[in-house]
């Protein structure tokens, strides 16, 4: 399984989908770095997880640990399928 991460500011879902396809990833987690409530200078984050199989999951704004746990859940499910 190949996972990627993207930091985007404009049309984040479309940009993430392009990167997912261009890099032949199984899964990508996209951060909207234009949102001042999340990211590098915050204890919270939010990502949209896209998979090559078509799954799209957007986490709520929550702790980075909770976001990481959700990302792992999605990855494990893909790996098991």
């Amino acid at each position: 399984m190949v996972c990627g991460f993207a930091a985007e500011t404009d049309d984040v879902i479309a940009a993430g989908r392009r990167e997912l396809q261009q890099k032949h990833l199984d899964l990508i987690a996209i951060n909207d770095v234009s949102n001042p409530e999340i990211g590098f200078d915050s204890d919270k984050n939010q990502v949209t997880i896209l998979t090559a199989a078509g799954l799209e999951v957007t986490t709520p704004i929550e702790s980075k640990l909770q976001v990481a746990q959700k990302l792992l859940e999605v990855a494990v499910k893909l790996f098991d399928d």
Side-chain angles (χ1 to χ4, degrees):
M1 174 181 298
V2 180
C3 301
F5 296 87
E8 303 290 343
T9 56
D10 294 314
D11 204 5
V12 296
I13 303 301
R17 283 191 200 291
R18 279 191 303 276
E19 194 163 331
L20 179 75
Q21 293 172 347
Q22 290 172 350
K23 294 184 177 182
H24 306 286
L25 303 172
D26 298 300
L27 177 149
I28 190 166
I30 310 159
N31 283 323
D32 180 351
V33 294
S34 68
N35 185 341
E37 294 181 55
I38 61 173
F40 297 114
D41 294 329
S42 173
D43 292 333
K44 299 197 180 290
N45 203 357
Q46 179 181 40
V47 299
T48 298
I49 303 164
L50 303 176
T51 71
L55 181 66
E56 180 176 325
V57 176
T58 300
T59 66
I61 294 175
E62 56 192 354
S63 76
K64 290 180 178 180
L65 178 61
Q66 290 169 304
V67 171
Q69 288 172 330
K70 183 60 178 180
L71 181 57
L72 284 173
E73 288 172 15
V74 173
V76 167
K77 174 126 176 68
L78 283 177
F79 191 73
D80 284 344
D81 286 347

